[in-house]
Amino acid sequence: MRYSKTITGLTGGGSDGWDIYRKARQMERDGTAVTMLTIGEHDIRTDAQIIDALHRFAHAGHTGYTTFDGEPELKERIAARLTDRTGVATTPENVLIVPGGQGGLYAAHHAVCDPGDTALYIDPYYTTYPGTIRTVGAIPRAIEARPRHGFQPQPEDIAKAVDEGGTVRSLLVNTPNNPTGVVYTRETLDGIAKVCADKGLWLLSDEVYDTQVWNGDHLSPRALPGMAERTLVIGSMSKSHAMTGSRVGWVVGTEEAIEHMANLATHTTYGISGYIQHAAAFALDLGTAFEAQIAEPFRRRRDLVMKQMEGQNAARPIPADGAMYVMVDIRSTGLSGEDFADRLLDRHHVAVMPGESFGHAAAGHVRVALTVADDLLEGAVAKLVALASELATETVEPAR
Ligand code: PMP
């Protein structure tokens, strides 16, 4: 039987970047203890209070169909949260509830791109980005944020890509960033906002790590002058509340944009489970102290890793200002991120993600997820540094 070009072309061919992860999982199944520093999932489970709330709301009868665009109680809380944190007046009519940030990325691209349009995104990128853009028939085009710029995207590169042709509709950005841990500066975001306004682009802003910022406050580009009308913010309970499996996220934008995406929800998801939405509202009511408690281990472990890597040059950490990762430059070893990660796994049973899993810009790097207990992490990082030091050839300076 024939399958659609859209579905068969979704991954874009080639490796999906998860080879090391699969190999590590297989080693575990074969009985080898592997320290997994691969995926962005907390080492704690969803808090017992939230599990109790799920149970309570299910028993209270929230098990039927829901309003397709989201339960008013949850939309109200998300609107209040964004108003408080960004200063942009946000009402429930500006909010759509979706199945996780991933559902939001899909809905947002559907709202602004037609088949054949070009959608920009920043490389290094979260692995699903190009495939998500392809689901709506749009053409993904990467803009590299390079190590020599501290992985901050350069607005002139974005403008150049727009000028090079195609019908470019949107730019997807992510701060705090997965995989680099970098937080975009105000200067970067001002530059991005200006390009979007000049070129008539939608800005899709993935802010799922907004509660994990280690220096200063989270800055949402929707709050920049003139940007509320052309920005769609993608948010989620996954990272902020350790609720990855509950699949609750949101898109925030203009009322008109939300109306369109609500139609999409009616014809795709048909709404999100009511008891999960009510438990998410309960979780938001736990306030910022709870969010800080969930984020705290990542802040602590980030400090630990940065400190542990001081005093040597073989494995150079990129200063991480947010999210649950530290990106490490291992170009001194002369190996690709893939080969280094493979050797680290074979020799020391430590699994990290090769930078190449996230595009071209992070080649020669590996991403360390801060998602295991501190002592395990320390042991694994010591092995990473030892391997890099052993392989580093003093004559090879990383090409920047
Ligand atoms: N965006 C980024 C940058 C992510 O890292 C993730 C998950 N790892 C998501 C979106 C999707 O998360 P979820 O669908 O669980 O909200």
Side-chain angles (χ1 to χ4, degrees), residues 281-357:
F282 167 86
L284 288 171
D285 284 346
L286 295 173
T288 50
F290 181 79
E291 294 172 16
Q293 181 192 318
I294 299 293
E296 171 51 29
F298 305 116
R299 176 196 296 272
R300 191 179 66 234
R301 293 170 190 161
R302 170 263 199 187
D303 289 348
L304 205 114
V305 170
M306 296 302 289
K307 186 135 192 52
Q308 211 182 340
M309 290 203 179
E310 277 173 9
Q312 55 81 41
N313 262 331
R316 303 178 199 204
I318 308 303
D321 287 327
M324 41 172 87
Y325 316 97
V326 175
M327 188 67 103
V328 183
D329 183 348
I330 48 84
R331 286 176 293 176
S332 68
T333 64
L335 296 186
S336 66
E338 272 159 4
D339 288 342
F340 183 86
D342 204 40
R343 257 189 235 196
L344 187 64
L345 181 59
D346 282 344
R347 285 209 210 159
H348 297 295
H349 306 159
V350 172
V352 293
M353 291 296 282
E356 292 84 359
S357 299

Side-chain angles (χ1 to χ4, degrees), residues 117-132:
D117 287 346
T118 297
L120 306 177
Y121 65 105
I122 309 293
D123 169 356
Y125 54 86
Y126 173 51
T127 33
T128 68
Y129 281 3
T132 305

